[in-house]
PDB file of all heavy atoms in Angstrom:
ATOM      1  N   PRO R   1      23.156  27.291  13.495  1.00  0.00           N
ATOM      2  CA  PRO R   1      22.614  26.011  13.976  1.00  0.00           C
ATOM      3  C   PRO R   1      21.409  25.590  13.131  1.00  0.00           C
ATOM      4  O   PRO R   1      20.492  26.383  12.905  1.00  0.00           O
ATOM      5  CB  PRO R   1      22.201  26.311  15.417  1.00  0.00           C
ATOM      6  CG  PRO R   1      23.057  27.475  15.818  1.00  0.00           C
ATOM      7  CD  PRO R   1      23.244  28.295  14.575  1.00  0.00           C
ATOM      8  N   GLY R   2      21.444  24.360  12.645  1.00  0.00           N
ATOM      9  CA  GLY R   2      20.355  23.851  11.818  1.00  0.00           C
ATOM     10  C   GLY R   2      20.463  24.186  10.345  1.00  0.00           C
ATOM     11  O   GLY R   2      19.679  23.686   9.528  1.00  0.00           O
ATOM     12  N   GLU R   3      21.426  25.043   9.965  1.00  0.00           N
ATOM     13  CA  GLU R   3      21.585  25.382   8.540  1.00  0.00           C
ATOM     14  C   GLU R   3      22.104  24.169   7.778  1.00  0.00           C
ATOM     15  O   GLU R   3      22.894  23.379   8.298  1.00  0.00           O
ATOM     16  CB  GLU R   3      22.543  26.561   8.378  1.00  0.00           C
ATOM     17  CG  GLU R   3      22.629  27.057   6.944  1.00  0.00           C
ATOM     18  CD  GLU R   3      23.528  28.269   6.774  1.00  0.00           C
ATOM     19  OE1 GLU R   3      24.078  28.758   7.796  1.00  0.00           O
ATOM     20  OE2 GLU R   3      23.693  28.724   5.629  1.00  0.00           O
ATOM     21  N   GLU R   4      21.683  24.048   6.519  1.00  0.00           N
ATOM     22  CA  GLU R   4      21.981  22.841   5.750  1.00  0.00           C
ATOM     23  C   GLU R   4      22.797  23.143   4.499  1.00  0.00           C
ATOM     24  O   GLU R   4      22.678  24.219   3.889  1.00  0.00           O
ATOM     25  CB  GLU R   4      20.679  22.141   5.353  1.00  0.00           C
ATOM     26  CG  GLU R   4      19.913  21.618   6.570  1.00  0.00           C
ATOM     27  CD  GLU R   4      18.577  21.038   6.216  1.00  0.00           C
ATOM     28  OE1 GLU R   4      18.019  21.417   5.163  1.00  0.00           O
ATOM     29  OE2 GLU R   4      18.059  20.207   6.995  1.00  0.00           O
ATOM     30  N   LEU R   5      23.617  22.178   4.144  1.00  0.00           N
ATOM     31  CA  LEU R   5      24.361  22.166   2.891  1.00  0.00           C
ATOM     32  C   LEU R   5      23.767  21.058   2.033  1.00  0.00           C
ATOM     33  O   LEU R   5      23.820  19.881   2.407  1.00  0.00           O
ATOM     34  CB  LEU R   5      25.846  21.890   3.154  1.00  0.00           C
ATOM     35  CG  LEU R   5      26.734  21.598   1.942  1.00  0.00           C
ATOM     36  CD1 LEU R   5      26.878  22.834   1.064  1.00  0.00           C
ATOM     37  CD2 LEU R   5      28.118  21.102   2.397  1.00  0.00           C
ATOM     38  N   ARG R   6      23.181  21.398   0.886  1.00  0.00           N
ATOM     39  CA  ARG R   6      22.629  20.377   0.007  1.00  0.00           C
ATOM     40  C   ARG R   6      23.764  19.743  -0.807  1.00  0.00           C
ATOM     41  O   ARG R   6      24.510  20.451  -1.482  1.00  0.00           O
ATOM     42  CB  ARG R   6      21.589  20.978  -0.944  1.00  0.00           C
ATOM     43  CG  ARG R   6      20.797  19.915  -1.701  1.00  0.00           C
ATOM     44  CD  ARG R   6      19.782  20.529  -2.637  1.00  0.00           C
ATOM     45  NE  ARG R   6      20.415  21.029  -3.847  1.00  0.00           N
ATOM     46  CZ  ARG R   6      19.756  21.612  -4.840  1.00  0.00           C
ATOM     47  NH1 ARG R   6      18.452  21.801  -4.739  1.00  0.00           N
ATOM     48  NH2 ARG R   6      20.396  22.032  -5.913  1.00  0.00           N
ATOM     49  N   THR R   7      23.865  18.436  -0.748  1.00  0.00           N
ATOM     50  CA  THR R   7      24.949  17.740  -1.425  1.00  0.00           C
ATOM     51  C   THR R   7      24.479  16.927  -2.628  1.00  0.00           C
ATOM     52  O   THR R   7      25.306  16.491  -3.432  1.00  0.00           O
ATOM     53  CB  THR R   7      25.669  16.794  -0.444  1.00  0.00           C
ATOM     54  OG1 THR R   7      24.703  15.950   0.197  1.00  0.00           O
ATOM     55  CG2 THR R   7      26.421  17.594   0.617  1.00  0.00           C
ATOM     56  N   GLU R   8      23.172  16.702  -2.755  1.00  0.00           N
ATOM     57  CA  GLU R   8      22.679  15.953  -3.919  1.00  0.00           C
ATOM     58  C   GLU R   8      21.178  16.137  -4.045  1.00  0.00           C
ATOM     59  O   GLU R   8      20.463  16.211  -3.055  1.00  0.00           O
ATOM     60  CB  GLU R   8      22.986  14.462  -3.770  1.00  0.00           C
ATOM     61  CG  GLU R   8      22.539  13.623  -4.984  1.00  0.00           C
ATOM     62  CD  GLU R   8      22.834  12.138  -4.805  1.00  0.00           C
ATOM     63  OE1 GLU R   8      22.330  11.539  -3.831  1.00  0.00           O
ATOM     64  OE2 GLU R   8      23.559  11.588  -5.639  1.00  0.00           O
ATOM     65  N   ILE R   9      20.724  16.215  -5.298  1.00  0.00           N
ATOM     66  CA  ILE R   9      19.318  15.943  -5.577  1.00  0.00           C
ATOM     67  C   ILE R   9      19.277  14.654  -6.386  1.00  0.00           C
ATOM     68  O   ILE R   9      20.203  14.328  -7.124  1.00  0.00           O
ATOM     69  CB  ILE R   9      18.619  17.085  -6.344  1.00  0.00           C
ATOM     70  CG1 ILE R   9      19.156  17.195  -7.771  1.00  0.00           C
ATOM     71  CG2 ILE R   9      18.718  18.388  -5.604  1.00  0.00           C
ATOM     72  CD1 ILE R   9      18.242  17.954  -8.694  1.00  0.00           C
ATOM     73  N   SER R  10      18.208  13.907  -6.214  1.00  0.00           N
ATOM     74  CA  SER R  10      17.996  12.707  -7.014  1.00  0.00           C
ATOM     75  C   SER R  10      16.533  12.705  -7.452  1.00  0.00           C
ATOM     76  O   SER R  10      15.653  12.260  -6.719  1.00  0.00           O
ATOM     77  CB  SER R  10      18.336  11.444  -6.216  1.00  0.00           C
ATOM     78  OG  SER R  10      18.224  10.291  -7.029  1.00  0.00           O
ATOM     79  N   ALA R  11      16.297  13.250  -8.648  1.00  0.00           N
ATOM     80  CA  ALA R  11      14.939  13.381  -9.160  1.00  0.00           C
ATOM     81  C   ALA R  11      14.378  12.011  -9.524  1.00  0.00           C
ATOM     82  O   ALA R  11      15.094  11.122  -9.990  1.00  0.00           O
ATOM     83  CB  ALA R  11      14.922  14.297 -10.378  1.00  0.00           C
ATOM     84  N   LYS R  12      13.091  11.856  -9.296  1.00  0.00           N
ATOM     85  CA  LYS R  12      12.361  10.655  -9.665  1.00  0.00           C
ATOM     86  C   LYS R  12      11.364  11.031 -10.761  1.00  0.00           C
ATOM     87  O   LYS R  12      10.883  12.165 -10.822  1.00  0.00           O
ATOM     88  CB  LYS R  12      11.639  10.052  -8.457  1.00  0.00           C
ATOM     89  CG  LYS R  12      12.555   9.893  -7.232  1.00  0.00           C
ATOM     90  CD  LYS R  12      13.785   9.063  -7.518  1.00  0.00           C
ATOM     91  CE  LYS R  12      14.785   9.091  -6.382  1.00  0.00           C
ATOM     92  NZ  LYS R  12      16.051   8.421  -6.711  1.00  0.00           N
ATOM     93  N   PHE R  13      11.041  10.094 -11.625  1.00  0.00           N
ATOM     94  CA  PHE R  13      10.327  10.426 -12.851  1.00  0.00           C
ATOM     95  C   PHE R  13       9.045   9.613 -13.000  1.00  0.00           C
ATOM     96  O   PHE R  13       8.906   8.524 -12.447  1.00  0.00           O
ATOM     97  CB  PHE R  13      11.231  10.181 -14.065  1.00  0.00           C
ATOM     98  CG  PHE R  13      12.468  11.024 -14.071  1.00  0.00           C
ATOM     99  CD1 PHE R  13      13.641  10.574 -13.477  1.00  0.00           C
ATOM    100  CD2 PHE R  13      12.463  12.289 -14.639  1.00  0.00           C
ATOM    101  CE1 PHE R  13      14.790  11.354 -13.464  1.00  0.00           C
ATOM    102  CE2 PHE R  13      13.603  13.082 -14.624  1.00  0.00           C
ATOM    103  CZ  PHE R  13      14.768  12.616 -14.044  1.00  0.00           C
ATOM    104  N   ARG R  14       8.134  10.168 -13.757  1.00  0.00           N
ATOM    105  CA  ARG R  14       6.942   9.475 -14.230  1.00  0.00           C
ATOM    106  C   ARG R  14       7.098   9.278 -15.736  1.00  0.00           C
ATOM    107  O   ARG R  14       7.700  10.113 -16.415  1.00  0.00           O
ATOM    108  CB  ARG R  14       5.678  10.279 -13.927  1.00  0.00           C
ATOM    109  CG  ARG R  14       5.486  10.541 -12.430  1.00  0.00           C
ATOM    110  CD  ARG R  14       4.254  11.374 -12.166  1.00  0.00           C
ATOM    111  NE  ARG R  14       4.173  11.741 -10.748  1.00  0.00           N
ATOM    112  CZ  ARG R  14       3.578  11.004  -9.831  1.00  0.00           C
ATOM    113  NH1 ARG R  14       2.984   9.866 -10.177  1.00  0.00           N
ATOM    114  NH2 ARG R  14       3.543  11.404  -8.569  1.00  0.00           N
ATOM    115  N   ARG R  15       6.557   8.197 -16.251  1.00  0.00           N
ATOM    116  CA  ARG R  15       6.758   7.906 -17.668  1.00  0.00           C
ATOM    117  C   ARG R  15       6.280   9.058 -18.554  1.00  0.00           C
ATOM    118  O   ARG R  15       6.958   9.428 -19.528  1.00  0.00           O
ATOM    119  CB  ARG R  15       6.044   6.601 -18.047  1.00  0.00           C
ATOM    120  CG  ARG R  15       6.263   6.216 -19.502  1.00  0.00           C
ATOM    121  CD  ARG R  15       5.730   4.833 -19.824  1.00  0.00           C
ATOM    122  NE  ARG R  15       6.013   4.489 -21.207  1.00  0.00           N
ATOM    123  CZ  ARG R  15       5.768   3.298 -21.756  1.00  0.00           C
ATOM    124  NH1 ARG R  15       5.237   2.331 -21.010  1.00  0.00           N
ATOM    125  NH2 ARG R  15       6.050   3.065 -23.019  1.00  0.00           N
ATOM    126  N   GLU R  16       5.150   9.631 -18.221  1.00  0.00           N
ATOM    127  CA  GLU R  16       4.587  10.684 -19.062  1.00  0.00           C
ATOM    128  C   GLU R  16       5.489  11.915 -19.100  1.00  0.00           C
ATOM    129  O   GLU R  16       5.740  12.485 -20.174  1.00  0.00           O
ATOM    130  CB  GLU R  16       3.194  11.073 -18.564  1.00  0.00           C
ATOM    131  CG  GLU R  16       2.164   9.953 -18.638  1.00  0.00           C
ATOM    132  CD  GLU R  16       2.313   8.933 -17.498  1.00  0.00           C
ATOM    133  OE1 GLU R  16       3.088   9.186 -16.555  1.00  0.00           O
ATOM    134  OE2 GLU R  16       1.642   7.882 -17.564  1.00  0.00           O
ATOM    135  N   SER R  17       5.969  12.351 -17.939  1.00  0.00           N
ATOM    136  CA  SER R  17       6.802  13.561 -17.903  1.00  0.00           C
ATOM    137  C   SER R  17       8.172  13.308 -18.524  1.00  0.00           C
ATOM    138  O   SER R  17       8.728  14.177 -19.208  1.00  0.00           O
ATOM    139  CB  SER R  17       6.945  14.058 -16.464  1.00  0.00           C
ATOM    140  OG  SER R  17       7.538  13.066 -15.632  1.00  0.00           O
ATOM    141  N   LEU R  18       8.726  12.119 -18.310  1.00  0.00           N
ATOM    142  CA  LEU R  18      10.017  11.802 -18.914  1.00  0.00           C
ATOM    143  C   LEU R  18       9.888  11.752 -20.436  1.00  0.00           C
ATOM    144  O   LEU R  18      10.754  12.262 -21.165  1.00  0.00           O
ATOM    145  CB  LEU R  18      10.541  10.477 -18.372  1.00  0.00           C
ATOM    146  CG  LEU R  18      11.990  10.137 -18.723  1.00  0.00           C
ATOM    147  CD1 LEU R  18      12.950  11.156 -18.121  1.00  0.00           C
ATOM    148  CD2 LEU R  18      12.343   8.731 -18.249  1.00  0.00           C
ATOM    149  N   THR R  19       8.802  11.172 -20.925  1.00  0.00           N
ATOM    150  CA  THR R  19       8.567  11.127 -22.366  1.00  0.00           C
ATOM    151  C   THR R  19       8.476  12.538 -22.939  1.00  0.00           C
ATOM    152  O   THR R  19       9.059  12.830 -24.004  1.00  0.00           O
ATOM    153  CB  THR R  19       7.273  10.351 -22.672  1.00  0.00           C
ATOM    154  OG1 THR R  19       7.432   8.994 -22.238  1.00  0.00           O
ATOM    155  CG2 THR R  19       6.955  10.363 -24.160  1.00  0.00           C
ATOM    156  N   ALA R  20       7.803  13.431 -22.240  1.00  0.00           N
ATOM    157  CA  ALA R  20       7.682  14.812 -22.716  1.00  0.00           C
ATOM    158  C   ALA R  20       9.046  15.486 -22.803  1.00  0.00           C
ATOM    159  O   ALA R  20       9.337  16.212 -23.769  1.00  0.00           O
ATOM    160  CB  ALA R  20       6.748  15.596 -21.790  1.00  0.00           C
ATOM    161  N   GLU R  21       9.924  15.239 -21.816  1.00  0.00           N
ATOM    162  CA  GLU R  21      11.259  15.838 -21.834  1.00  0.00           C
ATOM    163  C   GLU R  21      12.084  15.310 -23.001  1.00  0.00           C
ATOM    164  O   GLU R  21      12.786  16.070 -23.679  1.00  0.00           O
ATOM    165  CB  GLU R  21      11.981  15.573 -20.511  1.00  0.00           C
ATOM    166  CG  GLU R  21      11.412  16.321 -19.330  1.00  0.00           C
ATOM    167  CD  GLU R  21      12.301  16.232 -18.105  1.00  0.00           C
ATOM    168  OE1 GLU R  21      13.540  16.262 -18.258  1.00  0.00           O
ATOM    169  OE2 GLU R  21      11.759  16.132 -16.992  1.00  0.00           O
ATOM    170  N   LEU R  22      12.019  13.998 -23.244  1.00  0.00           N
ATOM    171  CA  LEU R  22      12.800  13.413 -24.334  1.00  0.00           C
ATOM    172  C   LEU R  22      12.255  13.828 -25.694  1.00  0.00           C
ATOM    173  O   LEU R  22      13.021  14.103 -26.630  1.00  0.00           O
ATOM    174  CB  LEU R  22      12.817  11.890 -24.202  1.00  0.00           C
ATOM    175  CG  LEU R  22      13.940  11.239 -23.379  1.00  0.00           C
ATOM    176  CD1 LEU R  22      15.301  11.423 -24.036  1.00  0.00           C
ATOM    177  CD2 LEU R  22      13.965  11.726 -21.955  1.00  0.00           C
ATOM    178  N   GLN R  23      10.955  13.912 -25.825  1.00  0.00           N
ATOM    179  CA  GLN R  23      10.379  14.370 -27.085  1.00  0.00           C
ATOM    180  C   GLN R  23      10.754  15.819 -27.367  1.00  0.00           C
ATOM    181  O   GLN R  23      11.033  16.183 -28.513  1.00  0.00           O
ATOM    182  CB  GLN R  23       8.859  14.189 -27.061  1.00  0.00           C
ATOM    183  CG  GLN R  23       8.420  12.741 -27.159  1.00  0.00           C
ATOM    184  CD  GLN R  23       6.912  12.566 -27.081  1.00  0.00           C
ATOM    185  OE1 GLN R  23       6.191  13.459 -26.606  1.00  0.00           O
ATOM    186  NE2 GLN R  23       6.420  11.425 -27.528  1.00  0.00           N
ATOM    187  N   ALA R  24      10.768  16.643 -26.326  1.00  0.00           N
ATOM    188  CA  ALA R  24      11.160  18.047 -26.503  1.00  0.00           C
ATOM    189  C   ALA R  24      12.600  18.168 -26.977  1.00  0.00           C
ATOM    190  O   ALA R  24      12.958  19.118 -27.684  1.00  0.00           O
ATOM    191  CB  ALA R  24      10.961  18.815 -25.193  1.00  0.00           C
ATOM    192  N   ALA R  25      13.435  17.186 -26.604  1.00  0.00           N
ATOM    193  CA  ALA R  25      14.845  17.199 -27.021  1.00  0.00           C
ATOM    194  C   ALA R  25      15.042  16.601 -28.409  1.00  0.00           C
ATOM    195  O   ALA R  25      16.157  16.664 -28.944  1.00  0.00           O
ATOM    196  CB  ALA R  25      15.686  16.432 -26.009  1.00  0.00           C
ATOM    197  N   GLY R  26      14.004  16.011 -28.990  1.00  0.00           N
ATOM    198  CA  GLY R  26      14.120  15.474 -30.334  1.00  0.00           C
ATOM    199  C   GLY R  26      14.229  13.969 -30.417  1.00  0.00           C
ATOM    200  O   GLY R  26      14.801  13.435 -31.378  1.00  0.00           O
ATOM    201  N   PHE R  27      13.660  13.250 -29.441  1.00  0.00           N
ATOM    202  CA  PHE R  27      13.709  11.791 -29.423  1.00  0.00           C
ATOM    203  C   PHE R  27      12.296  11.208 -29.538  1.00  0.00           C
ATOM    204  O   PHE R  27      11.318  11.826 -29.107  1.00  0.00           O
ATOM    205  CB  PHE R  27      14.335  11.287 -28.117  1.00  0.00           C
ATOM    206  CG  PHE R  27      15.813  11.526 -28.001  1.00  0.00           C
ATOM    207  CD1 PHE R  27      16.300  12.629 -27.307  1.00  0.00           C
ATOM    208  CD2 PHE R  27      16.717  10.639 -28.571  1.00  0.00           C
ATOM    209  CE1 PHE R  27      17.666  12.838 -27.181  1.00  0.00           C
ATOM    210  CE2 PHE R  27      18.079  10.844 -28.451  1.00  0.00           C
ATOM    211  CZ  PHE R  27      18.557  11.943 -27.758  1.00  0.00           C
ATOM    212  N   ALA R  28      12.244   9.987 -30.075  1.00  0.00           N
ATOM    213  CA  ALA R  28      11.012   9.209 -30.096  1.00  0.00           C
ATOM    214  C   ALA R  28      11.233   7.932 -29.299  1.00  0.00           C
ATOM    215  O   ALA R  28      12.312   7.319 -29.385  1.00  0.00           O
ATOM    216  CB  ALA R  28      10.621   8.865 -31.535  1.00  0.00           C
ATOM    217  N   CYS R  29      10.250   7.534 -28.516  1.00  0.00           N
ATOM    218  CA  CYS R  29      10.413   6.358 -27.666  1.00  0.00           C
ATOM    219  C   CYS R  29      10.463   5.094 -28.513  1.00  0.00           C
ATOM    220  O   CYS R  29       9.630   4.876 -29.395  1.00  0.00           O
ATOM    221  CB  CYS R  29       9.271   6.264 -26.655  1.00  0.00           C
ATOM    222  SG  CYS R  29       9.545   4.991 -25.394  1.00  0.00           S
ATOM    223  N   ALA R  30      11.475   4.244 -28.224  1.00  0.00           N
ATOM    224  CA  ALA R  30      11.641   2.982 -28.946  1.00  0.00           C
ATOM    225  C   ALA R  30      11.586   1.778 -28.016  1.00  0.00           C
ATOM    226  O   ALA R  30      11.771   0.645 -28.466  1.00  0.00           O
ATOM    227  CB  ALA R  30      12.971   2.992 -29.709  1.00  0.00           C
ATOM    228  N   GLY R  31      11.341   2.009 -26.719  1.00  0.00           N
ATOM    229  CA  GLY R  31      11.250   0.894 -25.785  1.00  0.00           C
ATOM    230  C   GLY R  31      11.216   1.385 -24.351  1.00  0.00           C
ATOM    231  O   GLY R  31      11.843   2.401 -24.020  1.00  0.00           O
ATOM    232  N   TRP R  32      10.482   0.675 -23.515  1.00  0.00           N
ATOM    233  CA  TRP R  32      10.358   1.036 -22.088  1.00  0.00           C
ATOM    234  C   TRP R  32      10.300  -0.253 -21.282  1.00  0.00           C
ATOM    235  O   TRP R  32       9.492  -1.143 -21.575  1.00  0.00           O
ATOM    236  CB  TRP R  32       9.096   1.865 -21.872  1.00  0.00           C
ATOM    237  CG  TRP R  32       8.843   2.250 -20.447  1.00  0.00           C
ATOM    238  CD1 TRP R  32       8.212   1.517 -19.483  1.00  0.00           C
ATOM    239  CD2 TRP R  32       9.220   3.481 -19.811  1.00  0.00           C
ATOM    240  NE1 TRP R  32       8.175   2.201 -18.292  1.00  0.00           N
ATOM    241  CE2 TRP R  32       8.789   3.410 -18.466  1.00  0.00           C
ATOM    242  CE3 TRP R  32       9.884   4.623 -20.255  1.00  0.00           C
ATOM    243  CZ2 TRP R  32       8.989   4.447 -17.562  1.00  0.00           C
ATOM    244  CZ3 TRP R  32      10.087   5.657 -19.353  1.00  0.00           C
ATOM    245  CH2 TRP R  32       9.648   5.572 -18.026  1.00  0.00           C
ATOM    246  N   TRP R  33      11.175  -0.373 -20.279  1.00  0.00           N
ATOM    247  CA  TRP R  33      11.232  -1.575 -19.456  1.00  0.00           C
ATOM    248  C   TRP R  33      11.337  -1.175 -17.984  1.00  0.00           C
ATOM    249  O   TRP R  33      11.957  -0.161 -17.650  1.00  0.00           O
ATOM    250  CB  TRP R  33      12.449  -2.432 -19.808  1.00  0.00           C
ATOM    251  CG  TRP R  33      12.492  -2.884 -21.238  1.00  0.00           C
ATOM    252  CD1 TRP R  33      11.987  -4.031 -21.767  1.00  0.00           C
ATOM    253  CD2 TRP R  33      13.105  -2.185 -22.344  1.00  0.00           C
ATOM    254  NE1 TRP R  33      12.239  -4.104 -23.123  1.00  0.00           N
ATOM    255  CE2 TRP R  33      12.921  -2.985 -23.497  1.00  0.00           C
ATOM    256  CE3 TRP R  33      13.784  -0.965 -22.463  1.00  0.00           C
ATOM    257  CZ2 TRP R  33      13.394  -2.612 -24.754  1.00  0.00           C
ATOM    258  CZ3 TRP R  33      14.252  -0.572 -23.711  1.00  0.00           C
ATOM    259  CH2 TRP R  33      14.044  -1.389 -24.840  1.00  0.00           C
ATOM    260  N   THR R  34      10.748  -1.996 -17.115  1.00  0.00           N
ATOM    261  CA  THR R  34      10.912  -1.795 -15.678  1.00  0.00           C
ATOM    262  C   THR R  34      11.247  -3.135 -15.027  1.00  0.00           C
ATOM    263  O   THR R  34      11.135  -4.196 -15.649  1.00  0.00           O
ATOM    264  CB  THR R  34       9.637  -1.227 -15.018  1.00  0.00           C
ATOM    265  OG1 THR R  34       8.599  -2.200 -15.074  1.00  0.00           O
ATOM    266  CG2 THR R  34       9.194   0.061 -15.689  1.00  0.00           C
ATOM    267  N   ASP R  35      11.657  -3.063 -13.776  1.00  0.00           N
ATOM    268  CA  ASP R  35      11.876  -4.270 -12.977  1.00  0.00           C
ATOM    269  C   ASP R  35      10.537  -4.856 -12.568  1.00  0.00           C
ATOM    270  O   ASP R  35       9.474  -4.304 -12.885  1.00  0.00           O
ATOM    271  CB  ASP R  35      12.708  -3.916 -11.744  1.00  0.00           C
ATOM    272  CG  ASP R  35      12.013  -2.864 -10.886  1.00  0.00           C
ATOM    273  OD1 ASP R  35      12.036  -1.670 -11.265  1.00  0.00           O
ATOM    274  OD2 ASP R  35      11.416  -3.232  -9.863  1.00  0.00           O
ATOM    275  N   ASP R  36      10.585  -5.963 -11.847  1.00  0.00           N
ATOM    276  CA  ASP R  36       9.355  -6.674 -11.472  1.00  0.00           C
ATOM    277  C   ASP R  36       8.401  -5.829 -10.633  1.00  0.00           C
ATOM    278  O   ASP R  36       7.185  -6.006 -10.692  1.00  0.00           O
ATOM    279  CB  ASP R  36       9.694  -7.956 -10.700  1.00  0.00           C
ATOM    280  CG  ASP R  36      10.350  -9.008 -11.580  1.00  0.00           C
ATOM    281  OD1 ASP R  36      10.188  -8.924 -12.816  1.00  0.00           O
ATOM    282  OD2 ASP R  36      11.025  -9.902 -11.025  1.00  0.00           O
ATOM    283  N   GLU R  37       8.949  -4.893  -9.838  1.00  0.00           N
ATOM    284  CA  GLU R  37       8.111  -4.077  -8.954  1.00  0.00           C
ATOM    285  C   GLU R  37       7.845  -2.685  -9.511  1.00  0.00           C
ATOM    286  O   GLU R  37       7.244  -1.855  -8.827  1.00  0.00           O
ATOM    287  CB  GLU R  37       8.765  -3.970  -7.573  1.00  0.00           C
ATOM    288  CG  GLU R  37       8.947  -5.295  -6.865  1.00  0.00           C
ATOM    289  CD  GLU R  37       9.667  -5.139  -5.542  1.00  0.00           C
ATOM    290  OE1 GLU R  37       9.014  -4.716  -4.563  1.00  0.00           O
ATOM    291  OE2 GLU R  37      10.881  -5.429  -5.491  1.00  0.00           O
ATOM    292  N   SER R  38       8.322  -2.419 -10.734  1.00  0.00           N
ATOM    293  CA  SER R  38       8.142  -1.103 -11.379  1.00  0.00           C
ATOM    294  C   SER R  38       8.708   0.032 -10.534  1.00  0.00           C
ATOM    295  O   SER R  38       8.125   1.116 -10.436  1.00  0.00           O
ATOM    296  CB  SER R  38       6.653  -0.846 -11.690  1.00  0.00           C
ATOM    297  OG  SER R  38       6.178  -1.790 -12.616  1.00  0.00           O
ATOM    298  N   LEU R  39       9.867  -0.221  -9.935  1.00  0.00           N
ATOM    299  CA  LEU R  39      10.554   0.804  -9.144  1.00  0.00           C
ATOM    300  C   LEU R  39      11.489   1.654 -10.004  1.00  0.00           C
ATOM    301  O   LEU R  39      11.720   2.828  -9.691  1.00  0.00           O
ATOM    302  CB  LEU R  39      11.369   0.140  -8.024  1.00  0.00           C
ATOM    303  CG  LEU R  39      10.593  -0.694  -7.006  1.00  0.00           C
ATOM    304  CD1 LEU R  39      11.549  -1.333  -6.004  1.00  0.00           C
ATOM    305  CD2 LEU R  39       9.552   0.153  -6.280  1.00  0.00           C
ATOM    306  N   PHE R  40      12.019   1.069 -11.071  1.00  0.00           N
ATOM    307  CA  PHE R  40      13.077   1.703 -11.864  1.00  0.00           C
ATOM    308  C   PHE R  40      12.784   1.459 -13.338  1.00  0.00           C
ATOM    309  O   PHE R  40      12.124   0.476 -13.692  1.00  0.00           O
ATOM    310  CB  PHE R  40      14.437   1.092 -11.485  1.00  0.00           C
ATOM    311  CG  PHE R  40      15.627   1.879 -11.933  1.00  0.00           C
ATOM    312  CD1 PHE R  40      16.195   2.832 -11.100  1.00  0.00           C
ATOM    313  CD2 PHE R  40      16.185   1.681 -13.194  1.00  0.00           C
ATOM    314  CE1 PHE R  40      17.299   3.575 -11.512  1.00  0.00           C
ATOM    315  CE2 PHE R  40      17.279   2.416 -13.611  1.00  0.00           C
ATOM    316  CZ  PHE R  40      17.839   3.365 -12.767  1.00  0.00           C
ATOM    317  N   SER R  41      13.283   2.357 -14.196  1.00  0.00           N
ATOM    318  CA  SER R  41      13.024   2.214 -15.628  1.00  0.00           C
ATOM    319  C   SER R  41      14.312   2.262 -16.438  1.00  0.00           C
ATOM    320  O   SER R  41      15.270   2.946 -16.076  1.00  0.00           O
ATOM    321  CB  SER R  41      12.093   3.325 -16.116  1.00  0.00           C
ATOM    322  OG  SER R  41      12.774   4.572 -16.139  1.00  0.00           O
ATOM    323  N   LEU R  42      14.307   1.521 -17.526  1.00  0.00           N
ATOM    324  CA  LEU R  42      15.249   1.703 -18.624  1.00  0.00           C
ATOM    325  C   LEU R  42      14.416   2.029 -19.849  1.00  0.00           C
ATOM    326  O   LEU R  42      13.421   1.336 -20.130  1.00  0.00           O
ATOM    327  CB  LEU R  42      16.058   0.430 -18.895  1.00  0.00           C
ATOM    328  CG  LEU R  42      17.414   0.254 -18.241  1.00  0.00           C
ATOM    329  CD1 LEU R  42      18.079  -1.019 -18.752  1.00  0.00           C
ATOM    330  CD2 LEU R  42      18.331   1.443 -18.471  1.00  0.00           C
ATOM    331  N   SER R  43      14.773   3.067 -20.557  1.00  0.00           N
ATOM    332  CA  SER R  43      14.012   3.434 -21.748  1.00  0.00           C
ATOM    333  C   SER R  43      14.957   3.686 -22.906  1.00  0.00           C
ATOM    334  O   SER R  43      16.065   4.178 -22.734  1.00  0.00           O
ATOM    335  CB  SER R  43      13.132   4.661 -21.486  1.00  0.00           C
ATOM    336  OG  SER R  43      13.884   5.728 -20.937  1.00  0.00           O
TER     337      SER R  43
END
């Protein structure tokens, strides 16, 4: 009773930490955009 089955994680990101992950993989940032409320990003 009360035991859980995890069916999804949905990680949320900060620009600084996401940039660090992409740079570690061998990428350089070429553009960053958000919606009007800065809820979501395209980079």
Side-chain angles (χ1 to χ4, degrees):
E3 186 177 358
E4 295 175 336
L5 170 67
R6 191 180 77 180
T7 52
E8 182 181 59
I9 69 161
S10 184
K12 310 304 171 187
F13 298 90
R14 300 178 186 271
R15 182 172 182 174
E16 297 78 10
S17 59
L18 190 63
T19 297
E21 290 191 38
L22 270 293
Q23 288 178 341
F27 289 97
C29 189
W32 178 275
W33 301 269
T34 67
D35 59 283
D36 291 339
E37 299 177 78
S38 297
L39 300 177
F40 196 92
S41 72
L42 266 185
S43 52

